[in-house]
Amino acid sequence: MATACAPSALRRALGPLNAAAVLLLLAAGGMVTSTASGLAVPDWPLSYGKWMPEMTGGVFYEHGHRMLASGVGFLILLMAFLTQWEEARPGVRRLAWWTLGLTVVQGLLGGITVYYGLPVQTSAAHAVIGQTVFCLVVVMADLVGREEAPAGSPPAAGLLAAVSAAVASLWLQLVLGAVLRHGGAGLRWHLLGAVPAALAALWAACAVLHERREAALRGPAWALAALIGAQLLLGSATAAFRLVPSPRTSHPMIATATIHLVTGALLLGTAVLLAARTWRLRSSRP
C-alpha cells in the first residue's frame, strides 16, 4: 500500500536510469537486426544450453542483447514495486504495473521470435513494444521527478490535438519502420509515412513554442524539432544504403541503421513526454 507521495532517492535515480537502460537495450536490439544475428543463438532462454556461451560472432550481439534485457527487466521490476510502496497517486501506480507488464510481454515475444525463426509479425511487434516501453519509462521518470504538474494556464484544444497527433503519427511510423527492418519490405510506405509524421511533429513543436512559455513544455518542443531534422537525415542515409548494391551488413550501414532506430525512439519518447506534460497541465487546472 502506498504510504506517501514523495519518492525515495532510489526511485528518483531509477527514473532516468531506466530510461537510459531501455534506450541502450533498443540500440543493442538494433545491432542484432542490423548484423543479422537474430538466430545466432537457436534456443531460449538459455544460449546453447548455457548461461554464458562463447561470445563470438553473432552470439556476441544476440546473447549480449539478452543479458541487457535481463538487467532492464530487473530495474523495471524494482521500479514497479517501489512505486506501489511509496506512491500515493493511483495513476502512477497503474503506469508502473503497465510498464512491467509490457516488459514481460516484450521478453516473451523475444523468445517466440527465436522458436519460430524470426517471423515478421512477431519480430515487428517485439520492436514496437520495445519502443512503447521506452515511452512509458520516460513518462514514469518524469512523473517521479515532477510530483506537481507544470504551472500555467490550461492549454488550448488545438495544442492538445497537435501533440496527440504527433504521438499517433510517430507511433504509426514506428510500426512501418519495424515491418521494414524485420521483413525487408515496405520501404515506400515507410518513406511516405515519414512526411505526415515529420509534419505532425513540427506542428506540435511550433504550436508549443508559439503558445506556451513554460520551460517544461518548451524544452521538449525544441528537442522534438531538432530530432525531426536529425531523423530525416538518418532516414535518408539508411534508405540510400538499401537502394544501392552495397552489403547490408557493412559497418556504415549497421551504424546508420542503428542510430536511426535510436533517434526514432528518442523522437517518439520526446513527443510522448511533451504530450504527457501538456495533458497534465490541462488536468491540473482549477
Side-chain angles (χ1 to χ4, degrees):
M1 179 180 295
T3 57
C5 186
S8 63
L10 175 59
R11 191 157 68 99
R12 283 186 182 275
L14 277 175
L17 177 60
N18 282 0
V22 175
L23 190 64
L24 178 61
L25 180 60
L26 291 174
M31 291 292 291
V32 171
T33 304
S34 296
T35 58
S37 302
L39 292 178
V41 179
D43 53 342
W44 183 88
L46 299 178
S47 299
Y48 290 101
K50 302 176 183 179
W51 290 107
M52 181 58 67
E54 186 177 354
M55 302 287 280
T56 58
V59 177
F60 172 81
Y61 296 105
E62 173 62 13
H63 188 71
H65 178 60
R66 295 184 186 186
M67 293 174 64
L68 279 173
S70 299
V72 168
F74 173 76
L75 290 175
I76 291 177
L77 177 69
L78 181 59
M79 173 65 100
F81 278 96
L82 281 175
T83 299
Q84 307 315 307
W85 178 257
E86 299 177 357
E87 183 59 65
R89 293 168 291 181
V92 180
R93 296 201 302 270
R94 287 193 297 269
L95 178 62
W97 284 135
W98 272 104
T99 306
L100 178 60
L102 274 183
T103 302
V104 172
V105 171
Q106 174 75 347
L108 293 175
L109 283 173
I112 292 172
T113 60
V114 173
Y115 274 119
Y116 291 95
L118 305 182
V120 175
Q121 298 89 338
T122 308
S123 298
H126 181 65
V128 170
I129 292 178
Q131 292 207 26
T132 303
V133 168
F134 174 67
C135 293
L136 295 182
V137 168
V138 166
V139 174
M140 174 64 73
D142 188 56
L143 289 171
V144 173
R146 292 175 175 269
E147 298 174 47
E148 302 296 332
S153 59
L159 182 59
L160 294 173
V163 295
S164 299
V167 171
S169 59
L170 289 170
W171 193 86
L172 289 175
Q173 181 67 354
L174 162 64
V175 174
L176 293 174
V179 172
L180 172 63
R181 279 182 64 84
H182 294 279
L187 177 59
R188 178 181 300 177
W189 289 109
H190 187 53
L191 292 175
L192 289 174
V195 176
L199 290 176
L202 288 174
W203 173 36
C206 291
V208 170
L209 294 173
H210 181 263
E211 296 183 21
R212 312 301 301 190
R213 295 184 177 181
E214 300 88 350
L217 298 184
R218 295 181 69 85
W222 279 117
L224 192 65
L227 285 168
I228 274 292
Q231 185 69 342
L232 289 174
L233 290 174
L234 287 165
S236 299
T238 304
F241 276 113
R242 287 182 170 272
L243 294 174
V244 299
S246 61
R248 294 290 176 84
T249 56
S250 65
H251 292 302
M253 171 62 178
I254 291 170
T256 304
T258 302
I259 296 172
H260 181 56
L261 183 149
V262 171
T263 305
L266 287 171
L267 182 59
L268 178 60
T270 301
V272 169
L273 175 63
L274 180 60
R277 288 183 179 180
T278 305
W279 280 95
R280 285 185 73 199
L281 186 61
R282 176 179 182 270
S283 64
S284 66
R285 64 183 178 180

